[in-house]
Amino acid sequence: MRSITILGSTGSIGTQALQVVDLHPERFAVTALSAHANSDLLFEQVRRYRPKMAALTGASSCEVPADLSFCQFSFGPDALEKLAHHAPADDVLVSVSGMVGLRSVLAARKTGRRVLLANKEALVAGGQLVMSACPGTGQDATLLPVDSEHSALFQCLHAANGNPYRRLSLTASGGPFRQWSPERIAAATPREALKHPNWDMGAKISVDSASMFNKALEIIEARWLFDARPEQIDVLIHPQSIVHSLVEFEDGAVIAQLGMPDMRVPIQYAMSYPQRLPSGVPALDLAQVGTLHFERPDPVRYPALDLAYRALRAGGSAACVLNAANEVAVAAFLKGALAFGGIARVVADTLQRVGTAPVHNLEAVEEADRQAREVAGTVVKSLRT
Ligand code: NDP
Ligand code: MG
């Protein structure tokens, strides 16, 4: 039996993690849960999973139903760290969206808890801090990737047996605009961007998938998780989302991880690692799938990828700046205050204006994030007029 804290339990990843708990109640016990604004669903989850602690981060207080008095509630943004640090769980699944995840990853590690990381923004903004807080590899890993591509790479790298890899290939579905003209993409609406062909995800990551900033963030994630040089990471468009990623070794052998596109598999793999348990996900029938298609991403349709490599080469706070500018741009796009084509412009201009600085501690990362948000906000406004 492992106990787990789920930060962001009301989101797409959080609710699927609770489905894994439902499937294996003898294996997992829920210690703590958090939501940002969705108090109704949080209360329902607390009633059902009976955690010791819960947090609502988007409110400074809230009336808690009388029947939930067995659970200790906290409120406000600091409650996330409090749960990660104090709730007595073996594992902390960080599945909130956005850079707010970084503090909770570090807080969980201070008390030696294993981190199951879905939140990619924490790693992108504070990769160096996260990796030095999470030592250990293989069975001793203290950080387990939940993002499906990185879970796939993690699994493929088990075949390395101590040998270095040559290349990591991240697959990408191409999102809903794969076959659209660049002009049509530039004018896409939030409703169109939120309609992902293969995955049902939260709003932020759905927009990121349409713009390929999701893959840009994943390139940076892979750099940190697997200590890769930028030129060792590439991206392959694979619309079927069956091959979740691939590792190439020195002898030319390529190991890939395949499966149905269902996030419950990588979520459960991280939760039960190193064991594999039944997932209830239908078996992959390759004869039924028939054809697997791969292509190189078009740099004109997807300027995000080049920006990721640029940020990696610049080093320091550049990836944090890229992430912050993207968060600001996506929020503006979802509010109707920025065209879809403006997202990459905001990120490119912010990267250029803010530049890069060393990020050896959390304060430096948060300062770079704050500065980038301020500049990105100005760029959004300038593009509006
Ligand atoms: P959702 O938007 O569906 O859920 C986000 C969760 O975080 C919700 O519980 C939400 O609470 C909470 N939350 C939102 N804002 C804040 C905040 N400022 N402070 C604290 N909590 C907050 O996102 P997803 O589940 O899709 O994604 C979560 C993370 O996992 C992201 O970083 C994403 O990139 C990553 N990821 C997601 C995948 C997916 O398939 N969905 C795949 C791979 C990675 P409330 O419901 O109350 O708003
Ligand atoms: Mg992914």
Side-chain angles (χ1 to χ4, degrees):
M1 171 74 89
R2 285 191 78 85
S3 55
I4 186 167
T5 287
I6 302 177
L7 303 178
S9 62
T10 49
S12 157
I13 296 287
T15 50
Q16 292 181 86
L18 287 170
Q19 289 174 29
V20 173
V21 173
D22 289 340
L23 199 61
H24 302 287
E26 74 300 344
R27 303 296 303 256
F28 304 111
V30 177
T31 303
L33 297 172
S34 94
H36 192 58
N38 192 348
S39 53
D40 287 349
L41 181 54
L42 179 67
F43 293 153
E44 210 178 287
Q45 292 177 340
V46 169
R47 199 165 278 124
R48 175 159 177 178
Y49 296 97
R50 305 190 72 79
K52 293 185 175 68
M53 297 171 78
L56 193 64
T57 48
S60 53
S61 70
C62 167
E63 200 175 322
V64 176
D67 64 319
L68 304 184
S69 61
F70 61 86
C71 177
Q72 184 194 331
F73 275 81
S74 316
F75 302 94
D78 294 344
L80 212 55
E81 264 177 282
K82 183 174 162 186
L83 247 53
H85 193 263
H86 294 294
D90 299 316
D91 298 340
V92 178
L93 170 61
V94 183
S95 53
V96 293
S97 61
M99 143 85 177
V100 290
L102 177 57
R103 274 182 175 264
S104 38
V105 171
L106 301 177
R109 288 300 305 145
K110 275 192 197 141
T111 31
R113 306 189 201 290
R114 196 167 71 160
V115 172
L116 318 182
L117 191 62
N119 174 280
K120 55 191 82 189
E121 295 88 346
L123 204 47
V124 171
Q128 204 180 338
L129 300 181
V130 171
M131 294 317 290
S132 50
C134 299
T137 51
Q139 301 228 355
D140 299 324
T142 54
L143 175 66
L144 292 165
V146 170
D147 209 346
S148 58
E149 295 76 1
H150 305 78
S151 174
L153 293 173
F154 181 78
Q155 294 175 57
C156 296
L157 284 167
H158 283 42
N161 286 326
N163 292 291
Y165 59 81
R166 194 156 67 184
R167 186 160 47 152
L168 307 176
S169 294
L170 296 164
T171 52
S173 70
F177 306 150
R178 187 170 62 91
Q179 287 166 322
W180 290 24
S181 69
E183 297 72 29
R184 193 173 163 210
I185 295 177
T189 65
R191 211 160 62 94
E192 290 167 329
L194 291 173
K195 226 189 294 163
H196 195 277
N198 302 348
W199 305 92
D200 181 15
M201 309 178 288
K204 159 79 171 34
I205 187 176
S206 297
V207 176
D208 285 346
S209 297
S211 66
M212 279 280 204
F213 267 104
N214 182 46
K215 216 48 58 180
L217 301 180
E218 290 182 356
I219 289 171
I220 301 170
E221 240 187 307
R223 179 264 173 267
W224 288 111
L225 283 170
F226 308 112
D227 195 21
R229 294 190 306 278
E231 61 276 15
Q232 286 182 295
I233 311 168
D234 70 3
V235 172
L236 270 176
I237 302 261
H238 167 48
Q240 293 86 4
S241 297
I242 295 290
V243 177
H244 298 310
S245 278
L246 316 89
V247 177
E248 181 186 290
F249 293 96
E250 283 304 335
D251 56 359
V254 175
I255 309 280
Q257 191 258 340
L258 286 71
M260 297 297 282
D262 191 317
M263 279 309 294
R264 288 174 300 170
V265 177
I267 294 169
Q268 177 178 286
Y269 182 75
M271 287 169 67
S272 66
Y273 183 79
Q275 269 187 296
R276 289 187 187 269
L277 304 173
S279 67
V281 171
L284 173 62
D285 181 346
L286 279 175
Q288 171 86 33
V289 175
T291 309
L292 296 177
H293 180 83
F294 300 92
E295 66 193 41
R296 291 266 164 242
D298 172 4
V300 177
R301 274 200 183 84
Y302 301 120
L305 300 180
D306 180 51
L307 290 170
Y309 288 112
R310 257 199 259 169
L312 276 185
R313 290 196 185 97
S317 60
C320 171
V321 171
L322 174 143
N323 176 66
N326 182 52
E327 284 193 34
V328 169
V330 171
F333 167 69
L334 286 171
K335 273 197 304 199
L338 183 72
F340 188 80
I343 297 175
R345 276 281 302 282
V346 170
V347 176
D349 286 7
T350 308
L351 270 172
Q352 198 169 17
R353 288 195 203 180
V354 177
T356 180
V359 276
H360 298 309
N361 53 42
L362 182 60
E363 291 68 35
V365 173
E366 290 187 337
E367 174 54 23
D369 177 77
R370 191 201 56 73
Q371 217 186 332
R373 281 171 201 271
E374 200 177 298
V375 172
T378 316
V379 181
V380 167
K381 277 196 196 120
S382 74
L383 291 179
R384 231 180 344 184
T385 49

